[in-house]
Structure formats: structure tokens, C-alpha cells
Amino acid sequence: MAPDSLWRIPSRPKCVYLTFDDGPTPEVTPWVLDLLDRYDIKATFFCVGDNVARYRSLFEMVKLRGHHVGNHTMNHISALTYGSKAYLANVEKANMLIHSELFRPPHGWLRWGHARLLQKKYRLIFWDVVTRDYSNRIVASQVVENVKKFTRNGSIITFHDQPKSWHNLQEALPAAIDWLIAQGYEFKLL
Ligand SMILES: [Zn+2]
């Protein structure tokens, strides 16, 4: 992948970066915001432009509560099916709404041409911990296990504030946060 893409950012004291993709959605995002407030944790939300356009006040709420926002394309498009120019145009369209230098490609897929263009303007943020919270094939305890198994100092952990994740998130997110706190991790913003 592109040379200055970010997958993990270790520091002292040890830390993690909580990230939420695909929102904002009225079904899940308000619940996530309330939960993070209860823990006094700030996170980074990679938003889909289409959702931002649809749920403006929710998007504003994410920022108002002290979280950072990043760009996750306008329509959650894949870099495998869009040429670099069309892809960049879609990202730019989302940026008109999101106004962030942070970019995360849907599915984690980018081609070199896309990455080269995007890096002129954006910081490309990937992850090293995929919780798979959206998967129907795993249950909440397995989502938490993924966090426990793969998290290291500086890990960028990905959850999804969208309905597909809801069946796991309600139980897995607080459990994962409790475990991270017990391990002594601090929570940082990208
Ligand atoms: Zn996504």
C-alpha cells in the first residue's frame, strides 16, 4: 500500500485509536455517541458523504461531541471498480460535506494510482484491527475476541456505526472498551 498510509501509531503511554465507519446513521450513531460520552472517550468517524447529506444534524452532533470525522467516499464505492479520476471525484464530492484531511477507503482497497492522487490532499488511514462487528457469522463475544487478539500499542481499531453491526455492537463495544481500559490503553484521536 502507499508508503505513508497509516495502519498503527504506537506511543507512550500505550494507546489505541477507536474508529467508526459507514455512518452517520440514526439507528446506531446516537447510541455510539452516548456510550462514548459515558466513558469520556473521543473517536474518529469515517463518514459516507451520502449519509452526511441525509443526516446533517447527526453529523454535526458527532463533531459537537468532540470527535473527529474523516472521509469514506460519497457512496461507499470500491476502488476496484472505479478508475482513479472517478474515484477522486467521488471523494471530493464527499469532502464538500465532510471537510476533513483524513481518508479511509471502503473495504480497505486502493490501487497505487488512487493512493498517489489521494495522498496529495489526504492522510490515508487504514487499520490493524478489524473487529468484523458487521458480520452475521460471528457473535458479540467473537468481536471482543478479535479486539483482544489483535490489539497492540497504537492499534487503529475499526467498528461500524451502521445497522449491519447493531446485533454485535450493543454488547461488543462496551465490552471491548472495558477490556481496553483494563489493559491500560489510552484512547486517542486521529
Ligand atoms: Zn465502510
Side-chain angles (χ1 to χ4, degrees), residues 20-23 46 48 72-73 76 104-108 127 158-160 162:
F20 295 88
D21 288 4
D22 300 353
F46 288 91
V48 173
H72 199 47
T73 75
H76 208 267
R104 169 177 281 170
H107 314 289
W127 56 80
T158 300
F159 289 97
H160 296 78
Q162 59 128 307

PDB file of all heavy atoms in Angstrom, residues 20-23 46 48 72-73 76 104-108 127 158-160 162, ligand 1:
ATOM      1  N   PHE A  20     -14.934   4.517  13.677  1.00  0.00           N
ATOM      2  CA  PHE A  20     -16.257   4.020  13.295  1.00  0.00           C
ATOM      3  C   PHE A  20     -16.506   4.387  11.834  1.00  0.00           C
ATOM      4  O   PHE A  20     -16.399   5.558  11.462  1.00  0.00           O
ATOM      5  CB  PHE A  20     -17.344   4.628  14.191  1.00  0.00           C
ATOM      6  CG  PHE A  20     -17.223   4.197  15.617  1.00  0.00           C
ATOM      7  CD1 PHE A  20     -16.427   4.909  16.504  1.00  0.00           C
ATOM      8  CD2 PHE A  20     -17.872   3.053  16.063  1.00  0.00           C
ATOM      9  CE1 PHE A  20     -16.288   4.488  17.824  1.00  0.00           C
ATOM     10  CE2 PHE A  20     -17.738   2.625  17.372  1.00  0.00           C
ATOM     11  CZ  PHE A  20     -16.943   3.350  18.260  1.00  0.00           C
ATOM     12  N   ASP A  21     -16.838   3.385  11.031  1.00  0.00           N
ATOM     13  CA  ASP A  21     -17.037   3.598   9.595  1.00  0.00           C
ATOM     14  C   ASP A  21     -18.511   3.544   9.205  1.00  0.00           C
ATOM     15  O   ASP A  21     -19.316   2.910   9.883  1.00  0.00           O
ATOM     16  CB  ASP A  21     -16.319   2.504   8.798  1.00  0.00           C
ATOM     17  CG  ASP A  21     -14.813   2.654   8.833  1.00  0.00           C
ATOM     18  OD1 ASP A  21     -14.320   3.553   9.529  1.00  0.00           O
ATOM     19  OD2 ASP A  21     -14.139   1.848   8.168  1.00  0.00           O
ATOM     20  N   ASP A  22     -18.807   4.162   8.074  1.00  0.00           N
ATOM     21  CA  ASP A  22     -20.065   3.991   7.313  1.00  0.00           C
ATOM     22  C   ASP A  22     -21.239   4.859   7.779  1.00  0.00           C
ATOM     23  O   ASP A  22     -22.294   4.829   7.154  1.00  0.00           O
ATOM     24  CB  ASP A  22     -20.544   2.527   7.271  1.00  0.00           C
ATOM     25  CG  ASP A  22     -19.538   1.597   6.626  1.00  0.00           C
ATOM     26  OD1 ASP A  22     -18.522   2.091   6.096  1.00  0.00           O
ATOM     27  OD2 ASP A  22     -19.765   0.379   6.666  1.00  0.00           O
ATOM     28  N   GLY A  23     -21.115   5.566   8.895  1.00  0.00           N
ATOM     29  CA  GLY A  23     -22.215   6.396   9.371  1.00  0.00           C
ATOM     30  C   GLY A  23     -22.191   7.759   8.690  1.00  0.00           C
ATOM     31  O   GLY A  23     -21.520   7.920   7.674  1.00  0.00           O
ATOM     32  N   PHE A  46     -15.351   7.776  10.218  1.00  0.00           N
ATOM     33  CA  PHE A  46     -15.178   7.878   8.766  1.00  0.00           C
ATOM     34  C   PHE A  46     -16.562   7.784   8.113  1.00  0.00           C
ATOM     35  O   PHE A  46     -17.163   6.708   8.057  1.00  0.00           O
ATOM     36  CB  PHE A  46     -14.233   6.796   8.265  1.00  0.00           C
ATOM     37  CG  PHE A  46     -12.813   7.085   8.665  1.00  0.00           C
ATOM     38  CD1 PHE A  46     -12.300   6.594   9.857  1.00  0.00           C
ATOM     39  CD2 PHE A  46     -12.007   7.896   7.883  1.00  0.00           C
ATOM     40  CE1 PHE A  46     -11.015   6.891  10.254  1.00  0.00           C
ATOM     41  CE2 PHE A  46     -10.715   8.209   8.269  1.00  0.00           C
ATOM     42  CZ  PHE A  46     -10.220   7.710   9.465  1.00  0.00           C
ATOM     43  N   VAL A  48     -19.729   8.338   5.360  1.00  0.00           N
ATOM     44  CA  VAL A  48     -20.122   8.255   3.955  1.00  0.00           C
ATOM     45  C   VAL A  48     -20.873   9.549   3.614  1.00  0.00           C
ATOM     46  O   VAL A  48     -21.834   9.907   4.296  1.00  0.00           O
ATOM     47  CB  VAL A  48     -21.032   7.025   3.727  1.00  0.00           C
ATOM     48  CG1 VAL A  48     -21.592   7.014   2.310  1.00  0.00           C
ATOM     49  CG2 VAL A  48     -20.258   5.740   4.009  1.00  0.00           C
ATOM     50  N   HIS A  72     -15.084   8.814   3.819  1.00  0.00           N
ATOM     51  CA  HIS A  72     -15.173   7.384   3.472  1.00  0.00           C
ATOM     52  C   HIS A  72     -15.884   7.242   2.121  1.00  0.00           C
ATOM     53  O   HIS A  72     -16.635   6.296   1.907  1.00  0.00           O
ATOM     54  CB  HIS A  72     -15.935   6.671   4.593  1.00  0.00           C
ATOM     55  CG  HIS A  72     -15.761   5.184   4.649  1.00  0.00           C
ATOM     56  ND1 HIS A  72     -14.537   4.546   4.572  1.00  0.00           N
ATOM     57  CD2 HIS A  72     -16.675   4.178   4.805  1.00  0.00           C
ATOM     58  CE1 HIS A  72     -14.711   3.238   4.673  1.00  0.00           C
ATOM     59  NE2 HIS A  72     -15.998   2.986   4.801  1.00  0.00           N
ATOM     60  N   THR A  73     -15.633   8.213   1.244  1.00  0.00           N
ATOM     61  CA  THR A  73     -16.237   8.392  -0.095  1.00  0.00           C
ATOM     62  C   THR A  73     -17.701   8.858   0.010  1.00  0.00           C
ATOM     63  O   THR A  73     -18.290   8.832   1.072  1.00  0.00           O
ATOM     64  CB  THR A  73     -16.209   7.131  -1.005  1.00  0.00           C
ATOM     65  OG1 THR A  73     -17.186   6.196  -0.576  1.00  0.00           O
ATOM     66  CG2 THR A  73     -14.835   6.502  -1.066  1.00  0.00           C
ATOM     67  N   HIS A  76     -19.702   5.054  -0.628  1.00  0.00           N
ATOM     68  CA  HIS A  76     -19.077   3.792  -0.228  1.00  0.00           C
ATOM     69  C   HIS A  76     -18.665   2.972  -1.453  1.00  0.00           C
ATOM     70  O   HIS A  76     -18.956   1.779  -1.565  1.00  0.00           O
ATOM     71  CB  HIS A  76     -20.009   2.965   0.674  1.00  0.00           C
ATOM     72  CG  HIS A  76     -19.258   2.074   1.608  1.00  0.00           C
ATOM     73  ND1 HIS A  76     -18.957   0.768   1.318  1.00  0.00           N
ATOM     74  CD2 HIS A  76     -18.703   2.316   2.823  1.00  0.00           C
ATOM     75  CE1 HIS A  76     -18.276   0.237   2.310  1.00  0.00           C
ATOM     76  NE2 HIS A  76     -18.101   1.165   3.242  1.00  0.00           N
ATOM     77  N   ARG A 104     -10.340   7.260   4.498  1.00  0.00           N
ATOM     78  CA  ARG A 104     -10.242   5.800   4.608  1.00  0.00           C
ATOM     79  C   ARG A 104     -11.038   5.179   3.471  1.00  0.00           C
ATOM     80  O   ARG A 104     -12.238   5.427   3.334  1.00  0.00           O
ATOM     81  CB  ARG A 104     -10.780   5.323   5.949  1.00  0.00           C
ATOM     82  CG  ARG A 104     -10.957   3.819   6.032  1.00  0.00           C
ATOM     83  CD  ARG A 104     -11.421   3.372   7.387  1.00  0.00           C
ATOM     84  NE  ARG A 104     -10.324   3.338   8.339  1.00  0.00           N
ATOM     85  CZ  ARG A 104     -10.489   3.158   9.643  1.00  0.00           C
ATOM     86  NH1 ARG A 104     -11.696   3.035  10.140  1.00  0.00           N
ATOM     87  NH2 ARG A 104      -9.450   3.126  10.446  1.00  0.00           N
ATOM     88  N   PRO A 105     -10.400   4.343   2.651  1.00  0.00           N
ATOM     89  CA  PRO A 105     -11.115   3.729   1.522  1.00  0.00           C
ATOM     90  C   PRO A 105     -12.051   2.617   1.995  1.00  0.00           C
ATOM     91  O   PRO A 105     -11.655   1.805   2.832  1.00  0.00           O
ATOM     92  CB  PRO A 105      -9.991   3.150   0.671  1.00  0.00           C
ATOM     93  CG  PRO A 105      -8.869   2.916   1.614  1.00  0.00           C
ATOM     94  CD  PRO A 105      -8.985   3.947   2.697  1.00  0.00           C
ATOM     95  N   PRO A 106     -13.286   2.581   1.470  1.00  0.00           N
ATOM     96  CA  PRO A 106     -14.173   1.457   1.769  1.00  0.00           C
ATOM     97  C   PRO A 106     -13.491   0.122   1.454  1.00  0.00           C
ATOM     98  O   PRO A 106     -12.762   0.022   0.459  1.00  0.00           O
ATOM     99  CB  PRO A 106     -15.366   1.706   0.843  1.00  0.00           C
ATOM    100  CG  PRO A 106     -15.417   3.196   0.706  1.00  0.00           C
ATOM    101  CD  PRO A 106     -13.970   3.613   0.666  1.00  0.00           C
ATOM    102  N   HIS A 107     -13.679  -0.856   2.284  1.00  0.00           N
ATOM    103  CA  HIS A 107     -13.116  -2.209   2.161  1.00  0.00           C
ATOM    104  C   HIS A 107     -11.585  -2.223   2.293  1.00  0.00           C
ATOM    105  O   HIS A 107     -10.969  -3.272   2.166  1.00  0.00           O
ATOM    106  CB  HIS A 107     -13.497  -2.868   0.827  1.00  0.00           C
ATOM    107  CG  HIS A 107     -14.940  -2.727   0.485  1.00  0.00           C
ATOM    108  ND1 HIS A 107     -15.937  -3.400   1.153  1.00  0.00           N
ATOM    109  CD2 HIS A 107     -15.575  -1.952  -0.439  1.00  0.00           C
ATOM    110  CE1 HIS A 107     -17.114  -3.066   0.642  1.00  0.00           C
ATOM    111  NE2 HIS A 107     -16.930  -2.172  -0.308  1.00  0.00           N
ATOM    112  N   GLY A 108     -10.988  -1.072   2.518  1.00  0.00           N
ATOM    113  CA  GLY A 108      -9.527  -1.039   2.620  1.00  0.00           C
ATOM    114  C   GLY A 108      -8.824  -1.210   1.294  1.00  0.00           C
ATOM    115  O   GLY A 108      -7.631  -1.486   1.242  1.00  0.00           O
ATOM    116  N   TRP A 127      -6.160   0.452   9.101  1.00  0.00           N
ATOM    117  CA  TRP A 127      -6.391  -0.083  10.447  1.00  0.00           C
ATOM    118  C   TRP A 127      -5.559  -1.330  10.591  1.00  0.00           C
ATOM    119  O   TRP A 127      -5.108  -1.914   9.611  1.00  0.00           O
ATOM    120  CB  TRP A 127      -7.878  -0.431  10.631  1.00  0.00           C
ATOM    121  CG  TRP A 127      -8.348  -1.386   9.590  1.00  0.00           C
ATOM    122  CD1 TRP A 127      -8.170  -2.742   9.577  1.00  0.00           C
ATOM    123  CD2 TRP A 127      -9.007  -1.057   8.355  1.00  0.00           C
ATOM    124  NE1 TRP A 127      -8.689  -3.256   8.424  1.00  0.00           N
ATOM    125  CE2 TRP A 127      -9.210  -2.262   7.670  1.00  0.00           C
ATOM    126  CE3 TRP A 127      -9.460   0.141   7.801  1.00  0.00           C
ATOM    127  CZ2 TRP A 127      -9.830  -2.312   6.427  1.00  0.00           C
ATOM    128  CZ3 TRP A 127     -10.087   0.089   6.569  1.00  0.00           C
ATOM    129  CH2 TRP A 127     -10.270  -1.125   5.898  1.00  0.00           C
ATOM    130  N   THR A 158     -11.289  -0.764  14.117  1.00  0.00           N
ATOM    131  CA  THR A 158     -12.431  -0.374  13.295  1.00  0.00           C
ATOM    132  C   THR A 158     -13.731  -1.058  13.700  1.00  0.00           C
ATOM    133  O   THR A 158     -13.836  -2.283  13.682  1.00  0.00           O
ATOM    134  CB  THR A 158     -12.143  -0.693  11.812  1.00  0.00           C
ATOM    135  OG1 THR A 158     -10.997   0.043  11.423  1.00  0.00           O
ATOM    136  CG2 THR A 158     -13.304  -0.287  10.933  1.00  0.00           C
ATOM    137  N   PHE A 159     -14.703  -0.219  14.067  1.00  0.00           N
ATOM    138  CA  PHE A 159     -16.091  -0.647  14.238  1.00  0.00           C
ATOM    139  C   PHE A 159     -16.927   0.053  13.172  1.00  0.00           C
ATOM    140  O   PHE A 159     -16.409   0.856  12.393  1.00  0.00           O
ATOM    141  CB  PHE A 159     -16.613  -0.246  15.630  1.00  0.00           C
ATOM    142  CG  PHE A 159     -16.024  -1.025  16.768  1.00  0.00           C
ATOM    143  CD1 PHE A 159     -14.957  -0.510  17.500  1.00  0.00           C
ATOM    144  CD2 PHE A 159     -16.538  -2.253  17.131  1.00  0.00           C
ATOM    145  CE1 PHE A 159     -14.410  -1.224  18.563  1.00  0.00           C
ATOM    146  CE2 PHE A 159     -16.006  -2.972  18.192  1.00  0.00           C
ATOM    147  CZ  PHE A 159     -14.939  -2.450  18.909  1.00  0.00           C
ATOM    148  N   HIS A 160     -18.213  -0.236  13.132  1.00  0.00           N
ATOM    149  CA  HIS A 160     -19.108   0.380  12.146  1.00  0.00           C
ATOM    150  C   HIS A 160     -20.362   0.900  12.836  1.00  0.00           C
ATOM    151  O   HIS A 160     -21.078   0.112  13.474  1.00  0.00           O
ATOM    152  CB  HIS A 160     -19.490  -0.635  11.062  1.00  0.00           C
ATOM    153  CG  HIS A 160     -18.321  -1.103  10.258  1.00  0.00           C
ATOM    154  ND1 HIS A 160     -17.430  -2.029  10.724  1.00  0.00           N
ATOM    155  CD2 HIS A 160     -17.880  -0.728   9.031  1.00  0.00           C
ATOM    156  CE1 HIS A 160     -16.484  -2.228   9.801  1.00  0.00           C
ATOM    157  NE2 HIS A 160     -16.734  -1.451   8.757  1.00  0.00           N
ATOM    158  N   GLN A 162     -23.302   1.489  11.850  1.00  0.00           N
ATOM    159  CA  GLN A 162     -24.372   1.282  10.868  1.00  0.00           C
ATOM    160  C   GLN A 162     -25.174   0.024  11.258  1.00  0.00           C
ATOM    161  O   GLN A 162     -24.689  -0.826  12.014  1.00  0.00           O
ATOM    162  CB  GLN A 162     -23.770   1.169   9.468  1.00  0.00           C
ATOM    163  CG  GLN A 162     -22.765   0.048   9.310  1.00  0.00           C
ATOM    164  CD  GLN A 162     -23.107  -0.814   8.146  1.00  0.00           C
ATOM    165  OE1 GLN A 162     -24.234  -1.292   8.070  1.00  0.00           O
ATOM    166  NE2 GLN A 162     -22.154  -1.023   7.244  1.00  0.00           N
TER     167      GLN A 162
HETATM  168 ZN    ZN B   1     -17.016   1.139   5.020  1.00  0.00          ZN
END
